[in-house]
């Protein structure tokens, strides 16, 4: 059992003898003063870079978990945020490289459309392609 159950039962017992007990506890909690030393350790409120929602991290847990699920890493957003920073950065770097390669293919073949545009679209969308195309392999090596 969780300890909060005992605390809740105790507060309910106190409330039987003094009905204003819960309001008194809330009022005293609001009046607690926090020292500057404690305030410096608390996270600052910011916004998520991905979705713009309120977050104390650069990227909120929901976006990290969603990215992990989309990339086949379901454990990415579970646990400490410091553990998921490195894999998330690696995913973003790989995504940037794929987009750069796709843009290079599209720029090269702007005048003459061909099979490379399909490959570039797959790279840009982040799909993993396993094609034997010589052009794709040469672009990926660069």
């Amino acid at each position: 059992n969780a300890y909060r159950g005992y605390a809740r039962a105790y507060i309910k017992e106190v409330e039987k003898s003094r009905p204003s007990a819960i309001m008194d506890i809330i009022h005293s909690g609001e009046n607690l003063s926090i020292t500057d030393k404690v305030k410096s350790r608390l996270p600052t409120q910011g916004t998520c870079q991905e979705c713009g929602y309120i977050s104390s991290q650069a990227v909120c847990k929901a976006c990290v978990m969603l990215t992990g699920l989309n990339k086949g890493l379901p454990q990415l957003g579970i646990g400490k945020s410091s553990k998921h920073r490195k894999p998330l950065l690696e995913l973003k770097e790989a995504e940037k490289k794929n987009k750069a390669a796709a843009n290079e293919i599209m720029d090269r073949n702007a005048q003459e459309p061909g099979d490379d545009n399909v490959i570039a679209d797959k790279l840009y969308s982040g799909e993993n392609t396993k094609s034997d195309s010589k052009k794709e392999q040469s672009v990926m090596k660069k």
Side-chain angles (χ1 to χ4, degrees):
N1 285 337
Y3 185 74
R4 67 174 183 251
Y6 296 111
R8 182 177 184 204
Y10 176 72
I11 289 172
K12 293 294 181 185
E13 288 293 321
V14 171
E15 188 181 25
K16 287 179 185 175
S17 63
R18 186 174 175 192
S20 65
I22 292 177
M23 290 305 295
D24 292 340
I25 291 169
I26 292 170
H27 180 71
S28 64
E30 290 173 346
N31 290 334
L32 286 175
S33 62
I34 300 174
T35 63
D36 290 334
K37 183 179 179 182
V38 173
K39 284 183 184 179
S40 67
R41 292 189 310 208
L42 295 175
T44 57
Q45 181 177 328
T47 56
C48 174
Q49 294 172 352
E50 300 288 322
C51 66
Y53 197 72
I54 298 169
S55 176
S56 61
Q57 304 293 322
V59 180
C60 69
K61 281 281 197 178
C63 290
V64 170
M65 290 181 74
L66 188 59
T67 302
L69 290 172
N70 288 336
K71 300 294 180 181
L73 300 169
Q75 295 291 322
L76 187 61
I78 300 172
K80 290 186 173 184
S81 61
S82 60
K83 289 182 180 179
H84 73 260
R85 283 189 191 127
K86 185 177 178 182
L88 187 62
L89 289 174
E90 289 172 357
L91 283 174
K92 294 210 183 268
E93 289 298 320
E95 189 176 298
K96 285 180 186 178
K97 286 179 184 178
N98 283 344
K99 286 183 181 182
N103 287 335
E104 185 179 330
I105 291 171
M106 289 178 152
D107 289 344
R108 237 185 332 156
N109 297 320
Q111 279 79 21
E112 53 185 89
D115 291 338
D116 286 342
N117 288 336
V118 174
I119 296 167
D121 289 339
K122 288 181 179 180
L123 284 171
Y124 192 79
S125 67
E127 291 181 27
N128 188 7
T129 60
K130 292 186 179 180
S131 174
D132 292 331
S133 172
K134 299 283 185 190
K135 292 179 183 177
E136 178 190 0
Q137 291 174 1
S138 67
V139 169
M140 293 304 286
K141 287 180 182 177
K142 293 178 183 178

